[in-house]
Amino acid sequence: MARAKRKGKGGRSDNRKDTRRGMPWGRVITGVIIVAAAAAYIWFNYGTINRQPGDRARDAYRKPRSSTIRLYFADAQGERLVAEQRSVAAAVSLEERIESAVKELLKGPRGALGRTIPQSVELKGVRMEGDRVAWLNFSPSLVSAHPGGSTAELMTIYSIVNTVALNFSEVHKVGILVDGKSIDTLAGHLDCRDPFAPDKTVIQ
């Protein structure tokens, strides 16, 4: 004889399973983790998501990136080059970075080192050309205001060349122009018609 079905409240048969015993706790925990992760992401990125391009540009202006370079000036005797570290604002293009470094060199040393370039000289432009050659275009006073002498000429040329080529690995040689034109020599001792490779032997 078949057993009678157990009846629940109200006399109804209780054929339903007790869902409390089979509750899918794994799915619940996974759902909680997903919701928590999404909330954390929104919390930490809210400022970035809702900021306007203008705000980001202003922040970049207030906090410019910078890099440290070595500028080469003359020692006390004016016979060797000595490096002076300086921070400059970072730039996007290589030409802009070279221009920034050379303009710092033109400002002269901050300490006891000697200037290698006449104070009146201006950098008029920088261009990369050929096999990693950086051509620097200076104002005429690079020649007209130079004090002369073979050692002074050597210091001027290699303070420029070493500052550029030793700070920027993309540059293998540096060419000197005046008013956009090649010059035979700066002070009568070095041939300036071809670009110069860096020379570490003149560095102290």
Side-chain angles (χ1 to χ4, degrees):
M1 178 181 290
R3 294 183 180 179
K5 295 180 180 178
R6 187 163 58 102
K7 295 191 177 184
K9 293 182 180 181
R12 292 178 300 174
S13 300
D14 191 6
N15 291 326
R16 297 173 298 171
K17 295 181 180 178
D18 189 351
T19 56
R20 291 174 297 177
R21 297 177 183 176
M23 179 172 278
W25 290 107
R27 295 182 182 177
V28 173
I29 294 173
T30 302
V32 171
I33 292 174
I34 292 174
V35 172
Y41 178 84
I42 293 173
W43 175 265
F44 286 111
N45 291 278
Y46 181 82
T48 302
I49 293 172
N50 289 276
R51 289 164 68 187
Q52 299 298 319
D55 295 333
R56 290 192 291 271
R58 283 192 292 272
D59 286 350
Y61 177 78
R62 285 194 292 267
K63 298 178 180 179
R65 296 176 300 160
S66 63
S67 59
T68 301
I69 60 173
R70 289 175 176 267
L71 307 177
Y72 291 93
F73 298 104
D75 63 6
Q77 292 72 37
E79 297 177 349
R80 302 294 294 276
L81 294 175
V82 180
E84 178 184 285
Q85 288 192 350
R86 196 169 298 182
S87 293
V88 295
V92 176
S93 71
L94 177 59
E95 285 86 354
E96 289 175 331
R97 285 183 282 148
I98 293 172
E99 182 176 357
S100 179
V102 176
K103 284 185 176 180
E104 285 295 321
L105 183 68
L106 294 178
K107 292 177 182 178
R110 291 177 176 173
L113 298 177
R115 176 181 287 275
T116 58
I117 303 171
Q119 192 169 357
S120 58
V121 176
E122 297 178 358
L123 180 66
K124 304 180 74 172
V126 176
R127 78 171 189 269
M128 291 298 299
E129 187 177 277
D131 188 19
R132 299 188 180 186
V133 177
W135 286 96
L136 310 183
N137 184 24
F138 293 96
S139 61
S141 56
L142 180 67
V143 175
S144 61
H146 196 274
S150 59
T151 303
E153 184 179 15
L154 186 75
M155 293 294 97
T156 298
I157 293 295
Y158 283 102
S159 68
I160 295 170
V161 173
N162 286 352
T163 292
V164 175
L166 298 182
N167 279 297
F168 306 104
S169 59
E170 303 93 330
V171 178
H172 286 180
K173 292 183 178 181
V174 178
I176 307 294
L177 301 174
V178 171
D179 259 354
K181 299 177 181 179
S182 175
I183 57 174
D184 293 336
T185 183
L186 181 60
H189 304 92
L190 294 177
D191 187 347
C192 296
R193 291 173 293 182
D194 295 321
F196 295 88
D199 185 355
K200 294 182 180 180
T201 64
V202 297
I203 300 173
Q204 180 175 304

